[in-house]
Amino acid sequence: MNKIALFEHPLKSTPLVPLSGQYGDNRIWIKRDDLIPFSFGGNKARKAAEFYRTIMESDADLVMTYGSNCSNHCRVIANLAFAMGLHCHIISPDSKEEDSYNRLITEQFGATVETCPVAEVSATIDAAMETFRAKGNRPFFIMGGGHGIEGTRAYEKVYEEICLQQLEYGTNFDLIFHASGTGSTQAGLTVGHLKYLAAGKTGPKVIGISIAREGKRGREVIREGIKEYLAADYERFYRDQELIFTDRYRLGGYGNYNEEVEQIIGKVMSREGIPMDTTYVGKAFCGMQNYLREKKITGKNILFIHTGGTPLYFDHLKGLS
Ligand SMILES: *Cc1c(COP(=O)(O)O)cnc(C)c1O
């Protein structure tokens, strides 16, 4: 396997950027995880840095994962696999949409994409794993979205990173918001917070804005992620009231957005020069604005984590023209 020099060292912190425009009555900062210096960045690049270590320690000769046509995760993993000198095989549910830039980039890395009806994704993964093993391959499987221990660990580290940056930037954050999808970003951040609390320290609360799942299922998956990660320490650290996940702004589910989302994306791009996509980051930023307004939260320092998805910004531009 080839080494990736960038991932041989812990990733450096990403910048915190204060917003200039008015976005309600709080001071809003954005943590630019979209600027992680690998494959257009984002939380999937953070997670990939952790998977890199696990794959390096394995005897894998192939990486397999799954994701939708517009998956950021598939782009990053295809890049990771190619750079490591491994083949990448991706299972993806059939889509009526034209190929996204993420898909085009994924294929540029030589990843093979196998599509199937959405209800058959799991069976197709099993069958593909079986076929590869029968051929003598040693596939390394990564769950969709980089869900799992590695994904959680990546964002536990980000929570610590944020707490250190508070000193560096001279700002204490009251709340951290982010787009919550498969749940490992939120599981990791929440673990970071829980450990802070257990150590008798105060740190910002974490609020996940669901961009897809309904509340009950979304919370369950995040809690399971925390449990799997903390293992024997789960009972000691876990406090249910610290898991804050709202499905109020999911707009009916994955990929849906409205005019309000488009408007805020336009405002943040033109005023701050920060691109946001409609599926994750723009939708969650818009949800955060509504959350703060509806809960009448004012005068707070808020940190919004920009979890990436830059190629999706360009897909949307294409759609507009
Ligand atoms: C995957 C993704 C998310 C959601 O992260 P999870 O860890 O799956 O909850 C948020 N934003 C972007 C841009 C993503 O690609």
Side-chain angles (χ1 to χ4, degrees), residues 104-288:
L104 296 175
I105 301 168
T106 299
E107 288 179 341
Q108 251 188 352
F109 294 123
T112 43
V113 179
E114 180 180 351
T115 56
C116 65
V118 65
E120 290 168 24
V121 166
S122 166
T124 308
I125 291 167
D126 292 346
M129 289 290 277
E130 216 26 66
T131 308
F132 282 125
R133 289 205 184 101
K135 280 197 285 188
N137 285 117
R138 298 175 303 278
F140 185 95
F141 181 70
I142 301 179
M143 293 227 276
H147 195 61
I149 300 278
E150 284 87 351
T152 304
R153 188 190 306 124
Y155 273 83
E156 181 192 4
K157 290 180 181 173
V158 172
Y159 191 86
E160 289 163 23
E161 183 179 309
I162 291 168
C163 289
L164 289 173
Q165 285 182 306
Q166 295 191 116
L167 305 173
E168 188 188 326
Y169 285 76
T171 299
N172 281 320
F173 296 108
D174 300 292
L175 304 170
I176 295 173
F177 285 86
H178 69 95
S180 198
T182 66
S184 44
T185 299
Q186 184 159 10
L189 292 168
T190 305
V191 164
H193 186 216
L194 289 169
K195 289 193 176 172
Y196 250 64
L197 293 177
K201 295 185 276 191
T202 52
K205 269 185 187 304
V206 177
I207 301 173
I209 305 286
S210 176
I211 51 85
R213 286 182 180 145
E214 288 185 47
K216 189 166 175 294
R217 160 126 177 90
R219 284 181 65 83
E220 256 166 38
V221 176
I222 298 164
R223 201 184 305 115
E224 279 307 308
I226 294 174
K227 197 168 182 176
E228 185 191 8
Y229 183 71
L230 288 176
D233 289 331
Y234 175 73
E235 297 295 335
R236 183 152 67 94
F237 287 115
Y238 188 71
R239 301 285 173 273
D240 203 50
Q241 70 271 20
E242 303 303 336
L243 176 51
I244 310 170
F245 173 83
T246 173
D247 67 359
R248 210 176 143 76
Y249 314 102
R250 62 192 277 275
L251 304 173
Y254 185 74
N256 296 357
Y257 59 93
N258 59 19
E259 223 178 283
E260 195 188 2
V261 172
E262 289 188 304
Q263 271 169 10
I264 196 103
I265 290 172
K267 178 174 174 185
V268 173
M269 185 60 180
S270 51
R271 192 75 172 81
E272 324 290 339
I274 301 176
M276 293 180 166
D277 74 292
T278 54
T279 303
Y280 300 100
V281 177
K283 181 171 172 176
F285 188 84
C286 183
M288 172 184 80

Side-chain angles (χ1 to χ4, degrees), residues 32-45:
R32 300 292 307 273
D33 268 18
D34 56 318
L35 300 180
I36 297 264
F38 184 77
S39 203
F40 300 103
N43 64 347
K44 304 312 183 298

